[in-house]
Amino acid sequence: MGGFAAVLLIIGFSIRQSLLKAGFQKAQDKLAAKGLLLKAKNLEFNGLASIEMLGFEISTPQQFKIIECDSLNVELSPLSGILGMGWIDEISIATLNLQWIDSIQLESNTNARETNVETENSTSSPIKLIKDLLQQLPSKLAVNKMALRYWKGPNVQLFQAEQINWERELLNATIAINQNKEQQLFTLKGKLDRRTLEGNLTLEGFNQKLVVLEALGGQFGFSKMDFSIDEVNTTASGIHLKSSCNIARAYANHRRISDTSVYIDALMGSPELYFENGNIRLDSSSIWRINTFEFQAGAQYPFRDTLGEYWAFLKFDKTAGNHLFPSLPAGLFRYTAGTEIKGSFDHRFYVWYTPRDLSKTILEADVDYSKDFKVIQWGKANPMKINGSFHHDYFDGDRWEVGFEVGPNNPFYTPFNQISPNLVESTLRSEDPSFYSHNGFYLEAFREALIANLREKRFARGGSTISMQLIKNVYMRQHKTLARKLEEIMLVWLIEKERAVSKQRMLEVYFNIIEWGPGIFGVGSASQFYFGKHPSQLNMGESCYLSSLIPAPSKARWSVDSTGSVNPRWSRYYKLKNRIIRLDSTRFNDEDFAIKIRGFNNP
C-alpha cells in the first residue's frame, strides 16, 4: 500500500511538472507571436504550491534583453483558481533588470495575427508592454533590487528600486537614482489598481529631502508630489491619460531657464496627455496653477516624426490676471518682483509650425484689460530711471565691461533733437519700422524671427523691438535665458501700456546707451569715432552704416576695408542701403552712400 502511494505521488509530481512545462511553453508561444523570446535556466516546483524560475528573461530575436532577473518565485493558490480569481497568489523577484531601446522593432511570428505585432512605428510599445505586464500581476508582488534603463540613441536613463511591495492596490516602494556618482533615495506610496492603472500616489524624498533629477541639461526637483492617475485608456493609435498633481517646493536649475535656481512654493496641474501617432500631446484644456495664478496650457511634440506639427498654447482669464505678479517664482523675476496692479487682464498665446513648411508658421497673442487697469507699484525696474539721468554699467554676461553716465554730465551724451533725422530714419527702418505705432511688440517680426531660427537651427534673429532692446540694455544683463526674455517682455508690456516713457525719450536713451562697436557706447562716441562728426551732422550714408552695426557691434571691425570704405561683405549695410533707396528713390541714390570711415586706424 505504501509503495502504491509512493508511485501515485511520483506520477502526480511528474504530471505537475509536465503541466508546468506545458504552461511555460504556452507563454513562450504567446510572446513569440509578439516577436519576443521567453527563457528560464531552471523551472521547477519548490514545495506544494511554489514555482521557482532561475535565470528568467524576455528578449528580442537580436538577443536584446528587455526583462531579466536572477530568480522569480510564484506562489500558487489552487482555491482561488478554481473560484475564477486567478491561480497565482504572489510573485517574488530578486535582482530584476528592465530596459528598452527607443528604436526597438519587434518581429512577428509568421503565424501570428497582424494585430498582435508591435513595430517601431507604434507610439505606445513600451507603455503598452508595461501595462499588459502589470495587468497580469497577482494580488501580491515583492521585488528586491530593480533597475530600469531607457535607451534613446547613445544616451541611457537609469532608475533603480531598492524594494517594491504591491499588495492588492497598496503600493510601497523605495526608488534610487544614481547621478554624478551620488545616489538619491525617494519613496513612492499609495494606491494603484493594476488592472486600470488608476490610483493616488505620493512621491517624496527619503527622510524628507529634496528630490533632484537631472534632465534636459539641467536639474529639476521637488520636496513632495501628490498625484493621481484618474483614467488610462489604450486607443487604436496610442494611450490617453488623465491625471492631476500637486507639487510642493518645485525646483529648477537650468542655464537656459535662469542664471539662478528657481523655486515655486506650490505647483498644481490637471494634465490630460495623449501618446499617439508619434506625438506627445498635452491637451490645451489642461489646468495649471503656480502658487495662486491659474492658467490653461497645452503643447504637442512629435517625438518620432521630426517633420511633424509642433504647437503650444497658453491662456488665462481676467480673474487669474490679478494673481500673476504675486505668484511669480522666487529668483526667476528679480526686476518685476514687487509689481502691483489695479484692475485685471487676460491673455491668450498660440504658436504652431511644421518643419515641412515653415512659411505657414502661426503666432498669435491677445491681451484684454479691465477699464481700471493700472500699475500702482513698480518693482526694481522703475521706469522713472529711464525718464531721468542715471549711471549705466554694461556687463558681458557676468563680467563688468564699462560704466558711464546717461545724461548731460556725459560730454558725449546727445539729446534727441541733436541726433540727425537720417540716423533716426535708418535705424527705425533697420530695427523697428513700426516703433511709433506698436505697443512694444511686433508679432510679425517675432514670427519671422522664429521662422529664421527654425530654418537655421540656431538663434539667428531675435525679433526684438527697440522698446525691448532698450529695456534689456537699461535693466538687464546679457544672459540669454528664458527668465530674462520673459521679464523683458513683461517690463516692455507694462511700460508701453502705462505710457510711462514717451517714444521720443525711449529713442533718445536708446541711441545714447547701445554699443556701436567694441567698447564704443552712445551715438556721440560712435559718430566721433567713425566720422569725426557730431551726431547732428550725419548724412544718410553715414547713418546707414551706423545703423548696420547695431545687430552685431562686436563684429564692427570687419565692416571696414583697408581704404576706409564699407567692406563689400558687410551685407547688413548694403541690404539697408538698397531698402532705403527703394523706398525713397526721390531723395536718395548711390552717391549719398559714398562714405569714408575713419575708425579702426583708417585715414
Side-chain angles (χ1 to χ4, degrees), residues 429-443:
R429 287 184 173 176
S430 170
E431 295 297 304
D432 193 351
S434 303
F435 173 72
Y436 278 107
S437 60
H438 66 57
N439 294 319
F441 310 101
Y442 184 46
L443 274 182

Side-chain angles (χ1 to χ4, degrees), residues 197-200 225-232 240-246 268-275 282 285-288:
L197 298 186
E198 297 172 5
N200 299 282
M225 178 192 296
D226 295 313
F227 65 96
S228 67
I229 302 173
D230 303 317
E231 186 178 331
V232 181
H240 174 213
L241 171 67
K242 284 186 177 181
S243 62
S244 62
C245 62
N246 187 347
M268 301 177 66
S270 300
E272 186 169 351
L273 292 163
Y274 292 84
F275 303 85
L282 173 65
S285 64
S286 300
I287 304 296
W288 300 87

